[in-house]
């Protein structure tokens, strides 16, 4: 993930604070809302890490075939990552 969890928590608190101040949302428990927004942000921001992990697993399974055909690991990594991003409808 690009950001630390502490920073994501800060972003979540500021987002909730702004939304409440602008009267876009109402909350009787802003601390609970902060936690939920932070969890959603961490989940979204860690999507690329999960996709990268899945790409590594896939390429590891095809390592021998890639070696035989002379396929470039970085090139294949990029192609598989783009396919998975499309599959998960992620914007990276």
């Amino acid at each position: 993930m690009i950001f630390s969890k502490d920073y994501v928590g800060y972003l979540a608190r500021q987002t909730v604070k702004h939304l409440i101040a602008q009267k876009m949302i109402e909350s009787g428990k802003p601390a609970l809302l902060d936690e939920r927004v932070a969890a959603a942000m961490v989940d979204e921001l860690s999507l690329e890490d999960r996709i990268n992990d899945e790409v590594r697993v896939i390429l590891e399974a095809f390592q021998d075939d890639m070696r035989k055909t002379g396929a470039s690991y970085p090139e294949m990594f990029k192609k598989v990552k783009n396919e998975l991003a499309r599959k998960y409808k992620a914007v990276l």
Side-chain angles (χ1 to χ4, degrees), residues 1 3 15-16 20 31 40 42-43 47 51 58 63 69 75:
M1 182 167 51
F3 304 111
T15 301
V16 169
I20 291 173
V42 165
D43 187 51
L47 177 61
I51 288 174
I58 290 169
Q63 189 174 15
T69 61
E75 184 179 313

Side-chain angles (χ1 to χ4, degrees), residues 1-88:
M1 182 167 51
I2 299 170
F3 304 111
S4 72
K5 288 189 179 187
D6 291 335
Y7 185 65
V8 173
Y10 168 77
L11 289 175
R13 286 189 303 279
Q14 292 302 311
T15 301
V16 169
K17 182 177 165 183
H18 177 75
L19 291 173
I20 291 173
Q22 295 296 315
K23 299 185 191 255
M24 297 176 86
I25 62 171
E26 293 180 14
S27 176
K29 299 179 182 177
L32 179 62
L33 188 56
D34 288 345
E35 289 177 25
R36 289 183 177 173
V37 170
M41 291 174 108
V42 165
D43 187 51
E44 187 64 30
L45 290 169
S46 64
L47 177 61
E48 186 171 6
D49 294 337
R50 292 192 308 272
I51 288 174
N52 286 342
D53 291 341
E54 191 171 340
V55 170
R56 286 186 195 98
V57 168
I58 290 169
L59 291 182
E60 187 176 304
F62 290 98
Q63 189 174 15
D64 292 334
D65 293 336
M66 287 173 52
R67 196 175 301 119
K68 289 177 187 174
T69 61
S72 166
Y73 185 88
E75 184 179 313
M76 292 302 296
F77 189 93
K78 188 175 179 180
K79 286 182 180 183
V80 173
K81 183 175 179 176
N82 287 336
E83 284 298 316
L84 289 177
R86 197 171 306 129
K87 174 185 170 186
Y88 294 127

